[in-house]
Amino acid sequence: MKGIPMQTGVLRVLRATAASWWRHKELRRTGQSAQARQIEGETVLRDLGYLRQAATLSNAHVTCGEGGTFLHLGWTTVSTFAPIERFPLAAPAVARGTPFIDIRPVNNVIAFANLPRVARDGSVDPDLSGAGRPVSLTTYIDTVERLGARIVNDPRPRQSI
């Protein structure tokens, strides 16, 4: 069973991350270990839910830029100011196949600011146009890749030459 070690590893990372939060450390320091464990358990369950969404939503994706890393899950976005390597939710999502868009190589800030956005619910309204209009994830990737972004777990169909 190939998936079990990955799941165990993900759980370990999520538990360690939850236990390292300053609020949880403070609860333990003040003798409120049971409450800290309860909140940590809730945090791990929430994060596992985010990972399930990343695996099942067609428009889920991770972006990483100078402003941090974002896990886009339709109407929910989970983010941190850290790079993907230090974001315990984004790295496992990408490892499990969620598309990753690395925008750190993009230099044209104005063109990037004028990009459309990925449709949150997967639907696209063809009547809308301009910056911020909703487009499919694959259309967004086509556009941002032309600006120099790197793509991992590309969901676009492969073109045969």
Side-chain angles (χ1 to χ4, degrees):
M1 294 197 130
K2 185 179 171 187
I4 291 175
M6 172 66 170
Q7 292 171 347
T8 302
V10 169
L11 279 173
R12 282 186 188 136
V13 169
L14 295 179
R15 284 183 184 133
T17 302
S20 71
W21 286 9
W22 69 268
R23 180 176 177 221
H24 303 171
K25 284 182 177 178
E26 186 64 15
L27 286 170
R28 288 185 194 288
R29 189 187 68 76
T30 58
Q32 300 174 58
S33 296
Q35 186 177 6
R37 278 192 305 277
Q38 177 188 349
I39 294 171
E40 288 164 9
E42 292 167 1
T43 301
V44 169
L45 289 174
R46 181 203 64 206
D47 290 350
L48 285 171
Y50 290 148
L51 289 174
R52 273 190 220 101
Q53 285 183 316
T56 58
L57 293 173
S58 62
N59 59 338
H61 61 286
V62 174
T63 57
C64 182
E66 296 302 320
T69 304
F70 301 84
L71 175 58
H72 302 278
L73 303 167
W75 290 97
T76 303
T77 299
V78 185
S79 64
T80 182
F81 288 115
I84 188 169
E85 298 80 12
R86 293 200 336 252
F87 189 10
L89 273 178
V94 171
R96 297 179 77 194
T98 301
F100 171 53
I101 305 167
D102 187 353
I103 59 173
R104 292 174 286 191
V106 175
N107 292 322
N108 189 338
V109 178
I110 293 171
F112 183 76
N114 288 316
L115 284 176
R117 63 177 170 79
V118 176
R120 290 187 173 112
D121 59 1
S123 64
V124 177
D125 185 350
D127 295 332
L128 294 176
S129 62
R133 76 183 183 283
V135 297
S136 70
L137 177 58
T138 55
T139 300
Y140 180 81
I141 289 173
D142 288 340
T143 308
V144 75
E145 190 174 48
R146 285 193 293 272
L147 295 176
R150 291 181 296 142
I151 313 301
V152 175
N153 300 331
D154 195 336
R156 298 173 292 185
R158 301 214 189 277
Q159 300 286 330
S160 58
I161 298 175

